[in-house]
Amino acid sequence: MTENLSPSSVHAAYGAGDLAELSVFAGGFINFGYWAGLPADGPPTLDHRIASGIALYDLVLDEISPGDRVVEVGCGRGLGARRALTRAPSSVVGVDVTPEQVERARSAGTDPRLEFVVGSADDLPLSDDSSDLLISVEAAQHFADLSAFFREAARVLVPGGRLVLTTFFAADDDAGPKLSALLETFASGLDRAHPISRVPDQLAAAGFVDVRIRSIGEHVWRGLDRWIAQGERRDSWDRDWLRAADRGLLDYHLLTARLPAGSGS
């Protein structure tokens, strides 16, 4: 489902604009949030929204081992990459296709372990076998070619290296047109209707093993909708994320995989 998609829509959302300025992403983490353990009754507070964005990142950052060389693809403003430093990696490289986001990330301060660079998911500006862990948080839905991204991930990871990401995937090949009719970001081409059913084969073709895909939508969609429902966008198309999930058109997933220990690029 890549026809009629506009690469300029990504720049419009993240470059010329800044999604972090929208109330739905209050707190600066540009993700839908992981709401498990947060109050499920009463209106969510700003603190709850910020905690949900951090919690989604932590699902991925929990995979970091001390001393890892970490790459984040789709690093945005760099908040997650900076949080990754609390897990004692040896280095974190944040990669983003939007130059403006990379500049925002760099402007937040420096750390000798941290670097931000411009690059695309299917052409990472990194050397072969240079990383231990590649992460991505709610960015892969923008990637035009998931197979190319998985091949690039395999190239830059060392043998035994790991991939972990969160994002939302389409339920199947038929969901794309329905998602475009329901959700503006699919209609504009900002989000891509990648079917979850294809992902295991795409990862295997890139050389990954031990692929694990877990639905976490029950801890994403309703919490997100409760947050939107009380804000300035309470009557907007944003409420259709929950409707799309309830109709079985898409779901949110946590994905992990690794390269065989004896593999090489």
Side-chain angles (χ1 to χ4, degrees):
M1 297 291 180
T2 58
E3 58 270 20
N4 300 321
L5 297 179
S6 171
S8 63
S9 61
V10 174
H11 182 264
Y14 293 98
D18 184 357
L19 285 182
E21 295 177 354
L22 298 179
S23 60
V24 67
F25 298 120
F29 285 90
I30 306 175
N31 66 54
F32 286 170
Y34 184 74
W35 299 79
L38 295 172
D41 54 348
T45 66
L46 176 59
D47 285 344
H48 296 150
R49 180 62 185 101
I50 294 171
S52 75
I54 292 172
L56 185 66
Y57 250 99
D58 283 348
L59 288 178
V60 171
L61 300 185
D62 284 346
E63 297 293 325
I64 297 176
S65 297
D68 274 347
R69 295 165 296 172
V70 180
V71 174
E72 182 185 6
V73 180
C75 66
R77 298 161 60 91
L79 274 69
R82 294 182 188 284
R83 185 168 179 80
L85 295 177
T86 65
R87 309 304 178 94
S90 64
S91 64
V92 180
V93 178
V95 181
D96 202 278
V97 73
T98 307
E100 291 91 338
Q101 288 288 64
V102 171
E103 285 305 310
R104 292 174 186 127
R106 289 172 176 167
S107 68
T110 60
D111 185 292
R113 297 170 294 169
L114 187 60
E115 179 183 6
F116 295 104
V117 297
V118 177
S120 63
D122 57 5
D123 187 17
L124 295 171
L126 303 167
S127 301
D128 296 358
D129 303 328
S130 59
S131 307
D132 303 296
L133 176 67
L134 190 147
I135 67 174
S136 184
V137 176
E138 203 167 302
Q141 77 277 4
H142 301 317
F143 301 165
D145 188 340
L146 273 186
S147 292
F149 165 57
F150 293 148
R151 290 194 297 270
E152 275 293 271
R155 179 184 66 80
V156 304
L157 285 168
V158 297
R162 295 104 64 211
L163 168 69
V164 56
L165 67 84
T166 62
T167 195
F168 45 91
F169 291 93
D172 51 42
D173 289 323
D174 296 328
K178 298 173 185 176
L179 288 168
S180 292
L182 191 61
L183 288 162
E184 182 178 306
T185 56
F186 285 96
S188 71
L190 177 61
D191 292 327
R192 319 288 178 116
H194 298 304
I196 188 62
S197 58
R198 296 187 184 184
V199 171
D201 287 343
Q202 291 171 323
L203 284 164
F208 286 96
V209 296
D210 289 347
V211 175
R212 300 181 184 184
I213 301 173
R214 176 164 65 95
S215 168
I216 59 171
E218 65 178 310
H219 300 305
V220 174
W221 303 119
R222 279 173 173 72
L224 172 70
D225 190 69
R226 287 175 55 238
W227 172 254
I228 296 170
Q230 67 177 11
E232 60 191 34
R233 299 170 72 89
R234 59 184 176 273
D235 297 320
S236 73
W237 63 270
D238 289 352
R239 304 296 303 281
D240 287 330
W241 288 107
L242 178 58
R243 296 184 181 98
D246 284 345
R247 287 172 56 183
L249 299 177
L250 85 173
D251 199 5
Y252 210 103
H253 293 85
L254 171 67
L255 179 157
T256 61
R258 67 170 180 87
L259 294 177
S263 68
S265 59

